[in-house]
Amino acid sequence: MVFEDTTPRLWDIDGDGRPEVVTVLSHQKYGAQLAVIAYREGAFRYIATTPLIGQRFRWLAPVGAGDLDGDGYIEVAFVHTPHLSKTLHIWRYRDGDFSPVARKSGLTNHQIGWDHIPGGLRNCNGFPELVTANGDWSRVVASRLLNDEIKTRDVANYTGPGSLNSALNCP
């Protein structure tokens, strides 16, 4: 396993008010997975991972983490193979492990060669939304988790990675 990410993220996954390190790990035969690492009892420990994608040279790009549906549990979102299937996945962290919640194809947040992942999580008027691009990079899209389904809406024209980052600011 190797770290294969643009940067580690500090997100509170377990809801204790302290951030954990969230990053992408990759296996030479089975592809990538999202991993959560916490400093506990004097050492860094893996506290949860999503399953490996299952095929070598397959990657995922993190989007954000938060209580996306108001159920009191933290969900994490990432784009599974942002250059191929372009599918937004949401997983819930509960009782020390991740479980799948929802997924929606046609959304992405990374292009080959970029050293960054634009977009992310915004909270406008009390509603968390995930900001990505649509699959053909023509629109900026905001996604919400409602009743374990991902609902999307266009929010702007895509004009480059900055348009994803600009959409993180509430209108």
Side-chain angles (χ1 to χ4, degrees):
M1 300 292 285
V2 297
F3 292 100
E4 185 178 14
D5 204 346
T6 59
T7 187
R9 287 142 202 87
L10 296 177
W11 293 341
D12 182 10
I13 299 299
D14 59 10
D16 68 355
R18 297 179 300 169
E20 285 75 42
V21 177
V22 180
T23 191
V24 179
L25 295 176
S26 191
H27 188 277
Q28 72 180 41
K29 291 184 182 177
Y30 303 114
Q33 69 182 163
L34 196 71
V36 180
I37 303 164
Y39 190 74
R40 302 285 189 267
E41 301 169 7
F44 285 99
R45 305 173 192 283
Y46 289 96
I47 64 167
T49 59
T50 59
L52 291 159
I53 286 176
Q55 185 176 350
R56 67 186 299 167
F57 305 124
R58 297 297 184 259
W59 189 61
L60 59 87
V63 179
D67 184 357
L68 301 180
D69 59 0
D71 66 354
Y73 296 100
I74 303 298
E75 286 85 25
V76 296
F78 58 84
V79 177
H80 179 279
T81 58
H83 318 116
L84 298 171
S85 74
K86 301 176 182 178
T87 304
L88 179 65
H89 285 240
I90 297 177
W91 289 70
R92 182 172 292 121
Y93 181 80
R94 185 176 181 179
D95 300 326
D97 204 1
F98 282 121
S99 60
V101 177
R103 65 182 176 187
K104 186 170 187 76
S105 61
L107 300 168
T108 190
N109 62 344
H110 187 265
Q111 292 187 18
I112 293 173
W114 283 359
D115 64 355
H116 62 288
I117 301 172
L121 177 66
R122 72 181 191 178
N123 194 321
C124 299
N125 301 317
F127 297 103
E129 295 181 308
L130 303 162
V131 175
T132 62
N134 66 349
D136 69 3
W137 293 95
S138 63
R139 302 291 299 160
V140 176
V141 176
S143 300
R144 286 187 183 170
L145 181 62
L146 298 169
N147 300 317
D148 290 345
E149 278 189 53
I150 298 170
K151 303 291 186 181
T152 61
R153 63 185 179 87
D154 289 353
V155 295
N157 289 323
Y158 177 80
T159 58
S163 60
L164 292 177
N165 292 332
S166 292
L168 295 175
N169 299 315
C170 297

